[in-house]
Amino acid sequence: MAFSVDVEKKDTLVVQNLKTYFPVRSGIFQRVSAWVKAVDDVSFTVKEGETFGLVGESGCGKTTVSRSILRLIPANGGSVFFEGQDVFNLRSNELKALRRNMQIVFQDPYSSLDPRMPVGDIIAESLLIHGVKDSKQRNVVVQEMLAKVGLNPYHAHRYPHEFSGGQRQRIGIARALALNPRFIVCDEPVSALDVSIQSQILNLLKDLQREYGFSYLFVAHDLSVVEHISDRVGVMYLGKLVEMASREQLFSEPLHPYTRALMSAIPVPDPRRKRERIVLTGEVPSPLNPPSGCRFHPRCPIAESICSQIEPKFEEKRPGHWVACHLVEQGGRSTPVA
């Protein structure tokens, strides 16, 4: 059974067959000569109050997916429904109203904050844009948001350069919370932070979700971080989803060879425990000219001839466990390689 999604009230976000290509221009007249297929036919749902983790190597299309969903990058195909609304068909005034409920925490806590604005103005800016004209009311919200993310009221008068990386990311989270959204994209929010600070930010995000009940799309390349925060996980490779399952299913028994290779790279804190390392050979192919058949087959340690000829369907091999692989049978068993 091929993957399909239905627009239901319990689904905060529904992404169907999303495609985002970037043009490659050449020649004197800069005509389009090719397309970079950054996201190529991706579908998934994010349920109410759920954290959906999206993982994969750098350049696989994770961030492009998240920004296409928010219409920060124009998509070339597919559809996105947020609480039943077709995001891609909204007019500018309707999209502005929708942005109150769809916010983003950016990866870089340094470049995502305006260095010329005090922190209080950064957090309050979205309130002003969305019609909160009373400065006292905006100040109350700013003070509340700073307290929620573990900062002090006097921090509202300071500038971003006066804060550490972890504090700046807290400011970014406070800005996203100011409008009381129902869905937040976290685009690798801890990858630029020290490990000791990462756990603080992750715990903060989980605490805020329990309090406010919103949904997360959590983009990351660190599987240990995704395991800590996600309810369900989707694994991307070269613009496509290759596996999707609950956190427990994925981390206890990954089915796709690419997912297994990623899992084998997770550091084990116990030096007495040994883990078989799966080392992938070769380089990640270019999305400008992806391989035929399964896009992972040039690097796959168990690939067979069919893998280079026919693209595998994204199918439910077990209840709630979706995989795109010819060598995984129904029921989740891997076909032995001759």
Side-chain angles (χ1 to χ4, degrees):
M1 179 176 62
F3 183 79
S4 61
V5 289
D6 297 318
V7 181
E8 301 177 5
K9 289 185 179 179
K10 64 180 180 180
D11 292 325
T12 297
L13 185 78
V14 176
V15 179
Q16 294 178 313
N17 309 114
L18 180 65
K19 297 181 180 180
T20 304
Y21 300 163
F22 296 106
V24 177
R25 301 181 183 275
S26 59
I28 297 175
F29 299 103
Q30 291 293 289
R31 293 191 176 97
V32 176
S33 58
W35 293 90
V36 176
K37 298 180 179 180
V39 177
D40 196 9
D41 199 14
V42 168
S43 300
F44 61 89
T45 63
V46 181
K47 300 186 182 302
E48 185 178 349
E50 178 187 49
T51 299
F52 184 86
L54 199 59
V55 302
E57 293 173 290
S58 297
C60 71
K62 308 183 298 295
T63 294
T64 304
V65 167
S66 65
R67 298 194 178 198
S68 297
I69 288 170
L70 298 175
R71 280 182 62 176
L72 300 178
I73 295 175
N76 294 78
S79 56
V80 173
F81 293 91
F82 176 75
E83 296 183 340
Q85 287 185 283
D86 188 346
V87 176
F88 289 171
N89 286 328
L90 295 178
R91 295 188 291 269
S92 59
N93 60 328
E94 296 171 327
L95 181 61
K96 179 181 177 180
L98 185 67
R99 292 202 188 283
R100 292 185 65 99
N101 295 312
M102 300 177 74
Q103 290 292 307
I104 183 171
V105 178
F106 293 98
Q107 176 180 356
D108 188 352
Y110 296 89
S111 63
S112 62
L113 302 178
D114 191 334
R116 300 167 297 178
M117 295 177 66
V119 164
D121 290 351
I122 290 173
I123 298 173
E125 186 177 25
S126 59
L127 296 169
L128 183 61
I129 291 171
H130 286 275
V132 182
K133 303 298 184 183
D134 188 344
S135 60
K136 292 183 178 179
Q137 186 179 352
R138 293 199 305 272
N139 187 58
V140 168
V141 175
V142 168
Q143 299 299 322
E144 181 184 353
M145 292 302 103
L146 286 173
K148 288 293 182 185
V149 299
L151 296 175
N152 295 312
Y154 62 83
H155 285 146
H157 306 291
R158 293 186 176 181
Y159 288 82
H161 73 270
E162 300 179 69
F163 295 89
S164 67
Q167 289 175 319
R168 291 189 195 195
Q169 199 59 289
R170 290 174 186 268
I171 295 166
I173 294 170
R175 176 176 59 184
L177 289 175
L179 291 169
N180 194 22
R182 294 195 289 272
F183 172 73
I184 298 178
V185 171
C186 297
D187 183 11
E188 304 205 33
V190 297
S191 64
L193 306 178
D194 294 338
V195 175
S196 59
I197 305 301
Q198 287 184 10
S199 59
Q200 296 177 21
I201 298 299
L202 291 174
N203 290 332
L204 171 64
L205 290 171
K206 292 180 74 172
D207 291 342
L208 291 170
Q209 187 180 45
R210 279 192 290 267
E211 181 176 352
Y212 290 97
F214 43 63
S215 305
Y216 285 133
L217 173 61
F218 193 91
V219 176
H221 62 266
D222 188 334
L223 282 166
S224 59
V225 168
V226 171
E227 184 180 15
H228 178 72
I229 197 170
S230 300
D231 299 303
R232 288 188 302 127
V233 182
V235 181
M236 284 190 69
Y237 183 80
L238 207 64
K240 285 185 174 289
L241 275 176
V242 297
E243 188 163 4
M244 182 172 65
S246 68
R247 176 186 59 200
E248 293 79 10
Q249 284 178 310
L250 193 78
F251 283 88
S252 62
E253 192 172 359
L255 300 180
H256 197 279
Y258 177 62
T259 310
R260 291 182 192 147
L262 292 180
M263 296 290 186
S264 74
I266 300 176
V268 180
D270 186 353
R272 295 167 296 182
R273 183 181 167 192
K274 302 296 181 182
R275 172 179 284 170
E276 183 182 353
R277 180 76 168 90
I278 302 173
V279 180
L280 299 177
T281 59
E283 298 292 331
V284 179
S286 169
L288 185 63
N289 186 26
S292 60
C294 175
R295 296 188 175 188
F296 184 58
H297 86 263
R299 305 174 70 200
C300 182
I302 63 170
E304 295 185 350
S305 59
I306 189 175
C307 301
S308 62
Q309 299 168 7
I310 302 174
E311 182 176 345
K313 294 180 180 179
F314 196 51
E315 298 179 318
E316 190 174 23
K317 302 296 185 179
R318 290 178 178 174
H321 199 149
W322 297 79
V323 187
C325 182
H326 293 298
L327 305 182
V328 177
E329 297 176 344
Q330 207 72 24
R333 294 186 300 265
S334 294
T335 304
V337 180

